[in-house]
């Protein structure tokens, strides 16, 4: 584990000279389509700090997009992954299996909602997990249609691009997309025309009506939703929406899939965000936070659904790599030992109080939302609900210059999102909030 002092330290401009040099090399060698939020090159990272190649220490409010919830070099992750690395790096589970894969699947069965019999299959990335959830749902139902939601994000492969709502930057020019994908409304409380309190009931009724009238419930294999929408703007579907959609799926023989790739593994203060409304998904996709930074993803669900594809129908060369599995067991051990669900809830408490004080002073803060350590503010033009991507970008830039790494998101590019590692110290958390407050004063 890197014993990095948990203190912000700025010793050069951001990015500094060494980062600028690396960025110049990168521009010559790395494809232009691969962007970076902040071209500061990392040297070491742990806890709430990323140390760059110039010796600057940045406060991390991004966790590599909700991945390093346990920190970027958590002791148990490093220990278990290193031991596995020395034993063997790969055999391919489809050729010669190993215990770590089985153990991760056992943990997933225990931690995911519902006490029914469950099984899992492991993959490399979130998009791959979503693709496989669709394969499993189609094999089980012998139907084809897939229902997704406004503002949804599910990945960058062909099928998952099609399932993702936002054109730029994810889809533009990359079509044609896979067929049999249908998009319906989601209960976006802040922007629901008749008000947040009506959004759950009205949006679910609209979505169900569209499914029945435009697709036919009997043709739908899967309904897939993020219990808190991530890239779309940290939208929490208004109360009642998820239970209504889940019930409709169950009543109509449709597989209900919760995409918890961003919201899962303690991020929202629960093992999985759908627990807040007691929704028990048929299948659940996980990735990001699962393995402390190593690439691992999973589909977990009802045993009879998971067993629907023919033998050999699921898999992949690297899926459930032994080092990634060892890392996942270390990450899960850390989450349990440090009670990271409680830490996430505490982060929410601190952040929401600080953000409410900022909102009092600045009326461009339209909405404060999210749960646990998945918190966002939606920025608007003064006195309206018109999106304000300019202020969002300027605020992010001002934070970056002070050594606070923040991310933006949202269909309209006007959401500032905060995803600190769950192990971040409260001093750093508050210092990060000070920087955000100062950025408002400047912008
Ligand atoms: C990040 C994300 C994905 C895609 O995961 P990758 O590992 O980038 O392929 C899918 N769904 C959700 C909700 C995500 O946040």
């Amino acid at each position: 584990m890197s014993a990095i002092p948990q203190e912000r330290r700025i010793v050069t401009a951001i990015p500094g000279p060494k980062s600028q040099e690396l960025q110049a090399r990168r521009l010559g060698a790395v494809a232009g389509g691969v962007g970076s939020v902040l071209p500061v090159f990392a040297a070491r990272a742990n806890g709430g700090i990323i140390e760059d190649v110039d010796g600057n220490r940045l406060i991390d409010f991004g966790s590599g997009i909700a991945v390093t919830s346990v920190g970027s070099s958590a002791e148990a992750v490093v220990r278990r992954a290193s031991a596995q690395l020395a034993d063997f790096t790969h055999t391919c589970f489809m050729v010669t299996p190993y215990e770590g894969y089985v153990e991760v699947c056992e943990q997933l069965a225990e931690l995911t909602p519902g006490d029914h019999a469950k099984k899992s299959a492991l993959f490399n990335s979130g998009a791959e997990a979503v693709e496989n959830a669709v394969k499993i749902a189609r094999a089980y139902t012998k139907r084809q249609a897939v229902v997704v939601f406004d503002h949804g994000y599910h990945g960058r492969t062909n099928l998952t691009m099609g399932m993702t709502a936002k054109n730029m930057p994810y889809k533009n020019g990359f079509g044609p997309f896979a067929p049999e994908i249908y998009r319906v409304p989601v209960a976006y409380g802040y922007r629901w025309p008749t008000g947040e309190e009506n959004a759950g009931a009205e949006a679910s009724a609209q979505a169900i009506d569209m499914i029945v009238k435009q697709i036919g419930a009997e043709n739908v294999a899967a309904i897939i939703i993020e219990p808190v929408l991530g890239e779309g703007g940290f939208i929490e579907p208004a109360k009642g929406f998820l239970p209504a959609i889940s019930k409709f799926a169950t009543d109509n023989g449709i597989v209900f899939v919760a995409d918890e790739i961003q919201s899962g593994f303690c991020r929202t203060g629960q093992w999985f965000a759908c627990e807040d409304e007691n929704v028990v998904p048929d299948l659940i996709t996980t990735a990001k936070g699962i393995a402390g930074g190593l690439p691992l993803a999973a589909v977990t669900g009802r045993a009879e659904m998971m067993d629907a594809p023919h033998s050999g129908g699921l898999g992949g060369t690297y899926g459930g790599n032994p080092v990634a599995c060892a890392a996942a067991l270390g990450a899960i051990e850390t989450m349990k030992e440090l009670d990271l669900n409680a830490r996430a809830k505490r982060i929410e408490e601190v952040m929401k109080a600080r953000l409410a004080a900022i909102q009092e002073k600045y009326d461009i803060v339209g909405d404060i939302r999210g749960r646990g350590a998945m918190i966002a503010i939606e920025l608007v033009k003064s006195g309206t609900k018109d999106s304000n991507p300019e202020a969002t970008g300027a605020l992010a830039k001002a934070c970056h210059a002070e050594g606070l790494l923040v991310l933006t998101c949202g269909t309209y590019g006007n959401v500032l999102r905060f995803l600190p590692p769950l192990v971040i110290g409260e001093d750093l958390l508050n210092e990060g909030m000070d920087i955000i407050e100062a950025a408002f004063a400047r912008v």
Side-chain angles (χ1 to χ4, degrees), residues 162-188:
M163 292 167 68
T164 290
K166 194 177 174 180
N167 178 48
M168 275 302 271
Y170 307 120
K171 306 166 75 165
N172 195 46
F174 298 146
F177 303 112
E180 290 302 320
I181 299 166
Y182 301 88
R183 191 172 311 286
V184 298
V186 74
Y188 187 169

Side-chain angles (χ1 to χ4, degrees), residues 213-334:
K213 296 293 181 335
Q214 298 182 18
I215 316 165
E218 66 277 20
N219 295 314
V220 179
I223 298 177
I224 304 186
I225 188 164
E226 304 158 78
V228 178
L229 284 77
E231 306 302 303
F234 284 21
I235 300 163
E236 298 170 85
K239 266 211 177 344
F241 185 79
L242 284 178
I245 299 293
S246 160
K247 179 174 187 309
F248 170 78
T250 304
D251 291 348
N252 289 277
I254 299 167
V255 176
F256 181 77
V257 186
D259 181 349
E260 294 253 16
I261 287 168
Q262 190 156 165
S263 56
F265 281 102
C266 306
R267 179 50 58 184
T268 64
Q270 299 272 18
W271 281 99
F272 297 96
C274 58
E275 292 170 53
D276 281 319
E277 281 190 283
N278 298 314
V279 168
V280 177
D282 296 315
L283 301 181
I284 182 161
T285 55
T286 53
K288 293 200 165 91
I290 191 174
L294 274 85
L296 188 71
V299 182
T300 301
R302 295 184 187 280
E304 68 276 17
M305 294 180 181
M306 293 300 298
D307 282 338
H310 50 276
S311 175
L314 303 177
T317 306
Y318 294 113
N321 170 274
V323 181
C325 286
L329 295 171
I332 292 167
E333 175 189 321
T334 308

Side-chain angles (χ1 to χ4, degrees), residues 379 388-400 408 416 439 442-443:
L379 295 151
N388 194 341
E390 300 80 15
T392 310
L395 284 163
K397 234 173 144 181
C399 290
H400 295 166
T408 60
L416 208 51
R442 226 166 318 132
V443 168

Side-chain angles (χ1 to χ4, degrees), residues 80-91:
R80 286 182 181 247
S82 305
Q84 179 58 49
L85 205 47
D87 283 345
F88 62 94
T89 55
H90 174 84
T91 58

Side-chain angles (χ1 to χ4, degrees), residues 366-381:
D367 195 23
I368 302 169
R369 59 176 178 249
R371 295 206 285 273
M374 188 173 180
I375 301 289
I377 49 178
E378 177 160 353
L379 295 151
V380 293
K381 305 222 158 98

